[in-house]
Amino acid sequence: MKVDKPGMKRIGLRAAAATAMALMAGVAFAEDFHGFDPEKFDGAMLSADQLKAMVADASAAHKPNNGTGLVIGFANLTRDVSFTLKVEDGILANGKEAGVDVVVTDNHLDGATALANAESFLQRQVDYVIEFQTDANFGATIMQKMNDANTKVTAIDIPMPGATFFGANNPRSGFMGGAYLGQAALKKFGADKTKTGYLVIGELPQSGAIPAMRTGGQVAGFLAAVDGFPADHVIKIDSKNTLEESFTQMNNVLGRIPAGAPIFVTAINDQSATGMLRAVKQAGREGDLIVVGMGADEIQTMMDEPTFVASVGYFPERYGNYLIPLALMQLAGKTTPDTVLVNHVMVTKDNVCKYYEKFACTSGKDPITFEFPQEKFAAHLAEIRQSPELKGFENLIPTN
């Protein structure tokens, strides 16, 4: 592993993550074949020939800054959790197929580190940057530097002003997971006992209003499923986006939940949900627990833990199949949308093999037959569109 500059590593290209089922609607390539429609793309990696044709278009419109070949910088959120590593693997696999150099840095879940990494990309004179960084307070500063250098950016999951946004449909994925959790709670405990329980949400406040649409959606979806659930039985903790911090914070709140009361857990991601689950197990209260994850990147944990009943699928191993072509299209001067949202599904023990072939589907383990409450979701969307915190981010709120 070669170190190019302090804080920057040239990462060897890895094999692509395990193949998942197609998630988006059918493939729709441009007529000249050197591109794709991100809003209709099926999520499968383009062929090497297609990617190389896109590189040729990009290099013709944008002469590589180093004079020899395109270089794309990828600043990963962190390199020690499964979700972000799957994103990284997909980006690197696409870079290898396309024949472009991808330079990876680690933002370590820290805004100041993300800024330093962005500056290192500019010193390196990369041609394009993909940012995965958690601190909303640093987004504008990073983008100002990128704009000054005329360097285009795609931001993953946490928006940055002027960057293309790629990532979660936060309101829908959150509402979906919360509604599933509420329906599972009613099936397991019945309406009366469910209303004596406590909903604990692992939030991520440092990332700002956009990821907050996900955790806010989790609360709204749960309340849509469980009419009359008491508002003072909703507990929010700061997960810091990590298993360890979620475990600690969940331990801290368990004393507020009466013995024998049901405990309903969901969080910003699977790692945080897993940390919360482990805290409840350690306290000997697993019999009271139901967990729904977010991301479906900790499938083994979901399969092993009886109380971890489902997770909302994000399919991070396919992110690179969008991100590298988006970068190449923008370098080629082609029109791309300013927002590309993931299409989410509920991944459960009974359907997991449809999306991840290494896992066998069970039969009859799913607690419910899920019904998405579309009308209540539409009302939720109408409500959040009025939020002053989301002014200017209307493009990240789906229409239905």
Side-chain angles (χ1 to χ4, degrees):
M1 185 178 294
K2 178 182 176 183
V3 178
D4 292 329
K5 292 182 180 291
M8 178 179 290
K9 297 177 181 179
R10 176 79 60 86
I11 307 298
L13 296 171
R14 303 180 179 189
T19 300
M21 293 288 288
L23 308 182
M24 306 290 179
V27 158
F29 298 109
E31 289 183 2
D32 63 1
F33 141 103
H34 300 171
F36 76 126
D37 182 348
E39 295 181 334
K40 297 179 181 178
F41 184 44
D42 74 347
M45 186 190 292
L46 301 181
S47 71
D49 286 344
Q50 289 170 317
L51 288 168
K52 285 180 170 60
M54 294 174 75
V55 170
D57 285 353
S59 298
H62 168 92
K63 183 179 179 181
N65 292 338
N66 63 12
T68 57
L70 295 175
V71 179
I72 295 175
F74 171 50
N76 204 345
L77 184 71
T78 180
R79 301 192 65 249
D80 57 5
V81 298
S82 62
F83 188 100
T84 56
L85 286 175
K86 288 176 180 178
V87 172
E88 181 177 313
D89 284 346
I91 289 172
L92 292 171
N94 275 266
K96 180 178 181 179
E97 289 297 298
V100 299
D101 194 8
V102 178
V103 178
V104 178
T105 62
D106 188 338
N107 285 336
H108 292 294
L109 298 169
D110 177 71
T113 302
L115 177 58
N117 286 334
E119 291 171 337
S120 72
F121 284 149
L122 296 178
Q123 292 169 6
R124 173 68 181 265
Q125 294 187 303
V126 302
D127 298 284
Y128 195 96
V129 171
I130 301 169
E131 275 287 347
F132 200 175
Q133 75 92 20
T134 188
D135 196 327
N137 293 323
F138 280 82
T141 303
I142 291 171
M143 283 306 299
Q144 183 61 58
K145 290 180 178 292
M146 294 295 170
N147 290 337
D148 289 346
N150 198 29
T151 300
K152 296 182 183 297
V153 178
T154 291
I156 302 174
D157 279 348
I158 295 90
M160 299 170 67
T164 298
F165 178 89
F166 175 84
N169 184 332
N170 283 298
R172 188 174 186 90
S173 61
F175 200 92
M176 181 183 294
Y180 192 102
L181 181 59
Q183 291 175 31
L186 292 172
K187 181 68 178 293
K188 180 174 181 177
F189 295 106
D192 291 342
K193 188 169 184 180
T194 292
K195 292 174 188 177
T196 71
Y198 287 77
L199 171 64
V200 188
I201 306 287
E203 296 188 309
L204 187 62
Q206 73 187 51
S207 291
I210 305 310
M213 288 197 292
R214 184 185 313 175
T215 49
Q218 289 168 322
V219 175
F222 185 88
L223 298 179
V226 185
D227 289 331
F229 190 82
D232 61 351
H233 284 208
V234 178
I235 300 174
K236 300 175 181 179
I237 65 173
D238 185 354
S239 73
K240 302 293 186 189
N241 213 38
T242 69
L243 184 153
E244 294 79 11
E245 184 67 18
S246 299
F247 176 89
T248 298
Q249 295 303 321
M250 190 70 197
N251 267 331
N252 292 341
V253 304
L254 279 172
R256 298 162 53 187
I257 301 176
I263 302 170
F264 314 118
V265 162
T266 190
I268 191 74
N269 59 23
D270 269 8
Q271 289 74 37
S272 298
T274 298
M276 296 161 74
L277 180 156
R278 290 181 181 176
V280 176
K281 284 185 68 175
Q282 180 175 280
R285 301 186 61 176
E286 188 176 6
D288 302 327
L289 180 65
I290 303 177
V291 177
V292 170
M294 189 64 54
D297 55 295
E298 293 287 351
I299 298 294
Q300 191 64 59
T301 300
M302 186 186 81
M303 299 303 291
D304 292 344
E305 296 288 349
T307 60
F308 197 141
V309 296
S311 188
V312 180
Y314 279 54
F315 306 93
E317 63 277 2
R318 287 181 168 250
Y319 278 26
N321 299 349
Y322 293 83
L323 290 162
I324 294 297
L326 275 171
L328 295 173
M329 289 176 69
Q330 290 185 16
L331 288 171
K334 295 183 182 250
T335 300
T336 61
D338 61 7
T339 303
V340 180
L341 299 178
V342 174
N343 190 25
H344 304 281
V345 300
M346 291 304 308
V347 179
T348 70
K349 293 177 170 68
D350 284 2
N351 73 9
V352 64
C353 61
K354 297 178 182 178
Y355 306 108
Y356 293 101
E357 294 177 353
K358 68 175 286 189
F359 294 98
C361 288
T362 60
S363 179
K365 287 287 186 72
D366 291 353
I368 60 170
T369 299
F370 179 55
E371 297 180 8
F372 185 80
Q374 183 61 47
E375 289 187 10
K376 291 183 177 180
F377 178 59
H380 174 64
L381 291 179
E383 180 180 347
I384 64 174
R385 282 187 180 278
Q386 305 306 312
S387 171
E389 293 184 342
L390 295 172
K391 185 175 178 58
F393 294 110
E394 289 82 3
N395 60 313
L396 302 184
I397 303 174
T399 56
N400 55 56

